[in-house]
Amino acid sequence: MTTPGETPEAVPVVRRGPDPADSVVWEPTDRWVRGTKGDVTVVDSHRAVLLWEPGRPVPLYAFPAEDVRMDLLRRFERPASRRHGGATVYYDLVIGDEIVRTAAWECPGEELAGYVCFAWFGHEVLDHWYEEDEEVFVHPRDPHKRVDALPSSRHVQVEIEGTVVADTRTPVLLFETGLPVRYYFPREDVRLDLFTPTDTRTRCPYKGVATEYWSWAGGGDVRPGIAWSYPDPLPAVGVIKDLVAFYDEFVDVIVDGERQTRPVTVFGHQ
């Protein structure tokens, strides 16, 4: 068990409930969680908690120090440039000759004293994370968020620069909490001849790895990698396998004859 750091009074730690904007919010999880770096298991826990930091919409995991290879963590002596929920004790991860700076930190507050967090999104410290035996990407899955992929018979079209590039009556609609609906098209209903394949890859904790992306080849001010596909999606959304979706923020979508308003989301930048 590590010595807990000092907790600023301005950032209390509370159990899950209404999300105070200035509080660290947490709840226990029954999932077996592991994290590895190379062939080294750094975290192996049946006692993790999900933790939401102030101002961050997605959770992290916090682990009892007994479930963490604390011998691989070295106290970071300089103040961190980006503090996590009032944390004051940070660690570098040291494995052999490799050092990952500010890789982990101690949770503030008495209730989570001795718990340790690792960075995920934006600064992924470990190579692989697992919930039970399934790999998880980007951030832990939020149990308060749903992702439903539903086959539909709606008539959905996509236009780019006035050209119809997709037209189907057998779409799959993907509903994800906090995001606009995404329309997935059978490949035979997409004009892929108007696009150029790219080497872009992205990861999603709810859908898996998108390894196929296409850019519009018709010119104009169109975001690169405007369309994507999941050749091997996670089982929960297996129905979207090999289907093609578009960033609706940059294309025109017509559903049952009605032109949709372009959504404004965190993906709305090129």
Side-chain angles (χ1 to χ4, degrees):
M1 182 72 72
T2 57
T3 301
E6 180 182 352
T7 305
E9 292 183 0
V11 186
V13 179
V14 298
R15 283 183 177 270
R16 184 76 190 181
D19 294 356
D22 59 350
S23 297
V24 174
V25 181
W26 66 275
E27 68 182 37
T29 176
D30 292 324
R31 301 185 183 193
W32 174 29
V33 182
R34 289 166 290 153
T36 63
K37 182 74 170 175
D39 59 358
V40 177
T41 298
V42 179
V43 178
D44 188 334
S45 182
H46 293 269
R47 301 179 294 167
V49 300
L50 281 164
L51 182 147
W52 288 258
E53 296 183 308
R56 293 177 183 263
V58 298
L60 289 168
Y61 276 122
F63 307 96
E66 295 91 342
D67 297 342
V68 176
R69 285 284 304 275
M70 297 303 297
D71 59 305
L72 301 177
L73 298 183
R74 183 174 66 191
R75 180 81 173 257
F76 187 68
E77 297 299 337
R78 289 175 293 172
S81 59
R82 187 176 183 181
R83 299 191 178 277
H84 290 269
T88 59
V89 178
Y90 288 80
Y91 296 95
D92 293 336
L93 175 65
V94 182
I95 299 180
D97 295 331
E98 184 176 1
I99 301 176
V100 183
R101 300 294 184 186
T102 321
W105 61 94
E106 289 183 2
C107 295
E110 294 182 2
E111 290 193 47
L112 295 182
Y115 277 71
V116 177
C117 283
F118 286 83
W120 280 49
F121 42 89
H123 177 47
E124 294 194 23
V125 170
L126 302 187
D127 297 331
H128 302 282
W129 286 100
Y130 300 91
E131 292 178 347
E132 299 300 328
D133 288 334
E134 187 169 281
E135 188 168 4
V136 185
F137 310 101
V138 187
H139 61 78
R141 294 166 182 157
D142 189 331
H144 303 279
K145 183 172 185 175
R146 286 186 62 92
V147 177
D148 296 309
L150 305 179
S152 177
S153 57
R154 296 196 198 193
H155 183 200
V156 185
Q157 299 169 292
V158 170
E159 291 182 359
I160 298 179
E161 301 289 319
T163 298
V164 176
V165 300
D167 188 331
T168 190
R169 294 182 183 273
T170 57
V172 170
L173 275 57
L174 190 137
F175 300 90
E176 183 170 348
T177 303
L179 290 174
V181 60
R182 296 293 188 195
Y183 301 93
Y184 280 77
F185 294 78
R187 291 193 183 213
E188 60 269 24
D189 293 338
V190 180
R191 290 285 309 277
L192 287 177
D193 59 303
L194 301 177
F195 297 83
T196 302
T198 78
D199 58 1
T200 302
R201 292 169 57 96
T202 59
R203 300 183 296 173
C204 171
Y206 306 102
K207 298 185 287 292
V209 182
T211 57
E212 293 185 290
Y213 270 81
W214 295 269
S215 291
W216 170 243
D221 186 22
V222 179
R223 171 195 171 116
I226 192 70
W228 69 87
S229 182
Y230 287 88
D232 188 24
L234 294 175
V237 291
V239 69
I240 68 170
K241 177 179 173 63
D242 292 328
L243 304 188
V244 178
F246 296 83
Y247 280 109
D248 296 354
E249 295 86 343
F250 299 96
V251 301
D252 293 310
V253 179
I254 301 97
V255 181
D256 292 332
E258 182 175 344
R259 191 171 296 268
Q260 307 297 296
T261 301
R262 291 189 180 185
V264 177
T265 74
V266 295
F267 302 104
H269 56 82
Q270 299 192 38

